Amino acid sequence: MSESHPTAEFRQHYRANVSRAYNGWVHLSSVIVISLITAAYCFSQIEQLDMAELWIIPLGILTYNFVEYASHRWAGHKKMALTKLFYKRHTGDHHSFFSAPLLSFDSPKDWRIVLFPTYLTVFQAFIVAPVFGYICAQWISLNAAYVIAATMILNHLAYELLHVGYHLPTQHWLHKIPIFRELAHLHRIHHHRTLMKTHNFNLTFPLFDLLLRTFRWIPRDIFDEQPKTISNKK
């Protein structure tokens, strides 16, 4: 796919194939409700929490940040047999739908291409988080198990909410919040067609982009006014 990819034409074709029954608000609400209920359950099971057990929270955030980075970089942008469906949905569909200068959605109907399918939230809440919880229960404590499970679930929720926010029109009030505006711009840079396979794979916070040297910052004036001058080499 080249930078001249007809994004507007792709959007028209993609939208024509979205079921009329699809409702973006129902999709987003299901992600929020499943995540908050399972996280609340985890918190409700914690008894006599030792403050020392809270160190598992930054560990959980660090772990999720790496999983987010790795799945995005090596599954979302590399065609491999085991993850070819994710590659098609992400590189094939998501990056064709959001390509400069069309980087914002027009309506909640477009959330179909922004949010993960609800079953992945279910998988995160009832498979991934419990697996991490089981490991912590065996090696640390039951409280630590519930804390890390809730941490993983809430990080996934943050990912989904931030991703929707990043693709809001830049005139939206959320883009006036400094830290959100900068994170959103990092994601817009990732959507440049020459950079999507090489830079800015983190979405919640660019920790592993910084550690693995895939972080890229481009001033807004250059990104918006001179997009054809941007290459994947600094």
Side-chain angles (χ1 to χ4, degrees), residues 42-43 45-46 49 53 56 129-153:
C42 291
F43 288 133
Q45 299 304 301
I46 297 172
L49 181 68
E53 292 172 313
I56 203 69
V131 166
F132 278 95
Y134 177 80
I135 294 171
C136 285
Q138 298 302 306
W139 289 91
I140 306 173
S141 69
L142 191 57
N143 279 345
Y146 284 117
V147 170
I148 198 167
T151 300
M152 299 294 285
I153 292 165

Side-chain angles (χ1 to χ4, degrees), residues 98-170:
F98 294 109
S99 182
L102 297 176
L103 294 171
S104 303
F105 59 77
D106 292 339
S107 75
K109 199 82 171 178
D110 292 341
W111 295 349
R112 169 72 173 72
I113 194 63
V114 180
L115 294 164
F116 283 122
T118 304
Y119 66 77
L120 284 181
T121 298
V122 173
F123 180 77
Q124 174 74 24
F126 296 101
I127 302 295
V128 176
V131 166
F132 278 95
Y134 177 80
I135 294 171
C136 285
Q138 298 302 306
W139 289 91
I140 306 173
S141 69
L142 191 57
N143 279 345
Y146 284 117
V147 170
I148 198 167
T151 300
M152 299 294 285
I153 292 165
L154 293 177
N155 268 270
H156 175 74
L157 177 59
Y159 178 102
E160 293 284 57
L161 294 177
L162 285 171
H163 199 191
V164 171
Y166 293 166
H167 287 292
L168 282 164
T170 54

Side-chain angles (χ1 to χ4, degrees), residues 158-202:
Y159 178 102
E160 293 284 57
L161 294 177
L162 285 171
H163 199 191
V164 171
Y166 293 166
H167 287 292
L168 282 164
T170 54
Q171 299 82 8
H172 193 277
W173 63 267
L174 273 174
H175 286 271
K176 293 180 172 59
I177 301 173
I179 189 169
F180 181 88
R181 182 176 64 241
E182 307 313 311
L183 289 172
H185 185 58
L186 282 175
H187 190 62
R188 286 166 61 85
I189 292 169
H190 169 72
H191 270 274
H192 192 285
R193 300 202 71 80
T194 63
L195 302 177
M196 66 180 186
K197 294 187 177 184
T198 56
H199 292 88
N200 295 0
F201 298 106
N202 273 130

Side-chain angles (χ1 to χ4, degrees), residues 4 29-30 93 145 150 183:
S4 60
S29 297
S30 68
D93 293 343
L183 289 172

Side-chain angles (χ1 to χ4, degrees), residues 49-96:
L49 181 68
D50 188 320
M51 294 302 291
E53 292 172 313
L54 293 178
W55 69 266
I56 203 69
I57 293 177
L59 178 61
I61 294 172
L62 183 69
T63 301
Y64 184 88
N65 195 267
F66 176 72
V67 171
E68 166 193 296
Y69 177 93
S71 60
H72 190 178
R73 180 178 181 180
W74 292 300
H77 286 292
K78 287 187 182 296
K79 189 180 293 186
M80 299 182 291
L82 290 176
T83 56
K84 61 183 180 181
L85 291 178
F86 179 46
Y87 175 87
K88 180 182 181 302
R89 174 180 169 84
H90 187 72
T91 295
D93 293 343
H94 182 71
H95 276 268
S96 294

Side-chain angles (χ1 to χ4, degrees), residues 2 15 22 35 45 53 78 155 226:
S2 65
R15 287 166 175 159
Y22 177 79
S35 299
Q45 299 304 301
E53 292 172 313
K78 287 187 182 296
N155 268 270
Q226 305 174 49

